[in-house]
Amino acid sequence: MLRGKARRAPKTQGAAGADPRGPDPLAPAQVDRVRAVLALGGVPYADLPDGVQQVRLKLLERAADGREAPRDVSAWAAVVASNLAMDWHRARRRQERLGERLAVLWREATDEDGAEARALSLAVAQGLGALPAAQRQVVVLRFYADLPVRAIADELGVPEGTVKSRLHTAVRLLRARLHEGEVV
């Protein structure tokens, strides 16, 4: 029995440089082609790695379901990437339509309750002005620019936890200020 030393499993031949996650189902040339198809399809550069990952997952799901691999993986991956680009555009259009509907609802609400909406807007603007600059910055990026926490963290060069903490504190302070002034 070995004391004080960890036992190690015997090394198998050829496992020295192997990827612990297994082989990549897409060759580097296929990855480049998928990225090109996504980029030509109008997908933003920042979203290209996610698109490549989705193509990999679809190929792995196909193998896990017991279906045989496509005869030409490169062509199959390009078609999947093209479909992903179309899905990306559809999702963006849905988001734009949702924004338009919300804007219409806001206009209708301000027409009916114009004084209330203006008072609320003024109170929120004053509350934002009272916040420290770092908290105000994350609130504006999150709720007005509609950026996710990860994008805000990247933009500001701070950890995601810091962004979440600042958002939580800022929202708590704004809520307290609006309740204090009996606006809400």
Side-chain angles (χ1 to χ4, degrees):
M1 176 177 216
L2 297 174
R3 290 189 179 212
K5 294 183 180 180
R7 287 186 164 165
R8 293 186 183 160
K11 289 185 180 181
T12 57
Q13 187 175 0
D19 187 354
R21 296 169 295 191
D24 189 354
L26 293 176
Q30 294 166 340
V31 170
D32 291 341
R33 185 173 182 188
V34 167
R35 290 176 65 88
V37 168
L38 290 169
L40 288 172
V43 175
Y45 181 77
D47 292 339
L48 294 182
D50 290 337
V52 171
Q53 190 65 16
Q54 287 182 7
V55 172
R56 280 188 183 110
L57 286 173
K58 293 220 181 269
L59 189 58
L60 291 172
E61 286 172 355
R62 185 181 176 103
D65 289 344
R67 293 182 284 168
E68 63 184 53
R71 280 184 284 172
D72 185 359
V73 174
S74 185
W76 178 87
V79 169
V80 171
S82 177
N83 291 338
L84 288 173
M86 288 188 305
D87 290 344
W88 183 87
H89 285 290
R90 287 183 189 121
R92 194 183 76 196
R93 272 188 250 124
R94 271 193 306 272
Q95 196 68 18
E96 288 171 357
R97 285 194 304 266
L98 178 63
E100 291 167 1
R101 279 185 263 159
L102 289 173
V104 167
L105 290 173
W106 173 255
R107 271 186 256 125
E108 290 173 359
T110 56
D111 290 343
E112 296 170 4
D113 306 319
E116 270 185 49
R118 283 190 293 277
L120 180 61
S121 295
L122 181 61
V124 169
Q126 289 171 343
L128 280 173
L131 290 175
Q135 291 176 355
R136 182 173 47 249
Q137 192 175 29
V138 295
V139 167
V140 168
L141 289 173
R142 178 65 187 104
F143 297 110
Y144 290 97
D146 198 28
L147 292 178
V149 171
R150 176 177 285 165
I152 296 169
D154 291 344
E155 182 73 28
L156 300 178
V158 297
E160 287 183 42
T162 301
V163 172
K164 291 176 183 179
S165 174
R166 288 178 185 172
L167 273 172
H168 175 76
T169 304
V171 168
R172 188 171 36 88
L173 290 172
L174 280 172
R175 186 177 292 134
R177 182 172 175 94
L178 291 175
H179 284 294
E180 179 182 289
E182 296 183 5
V183 177
V184 177

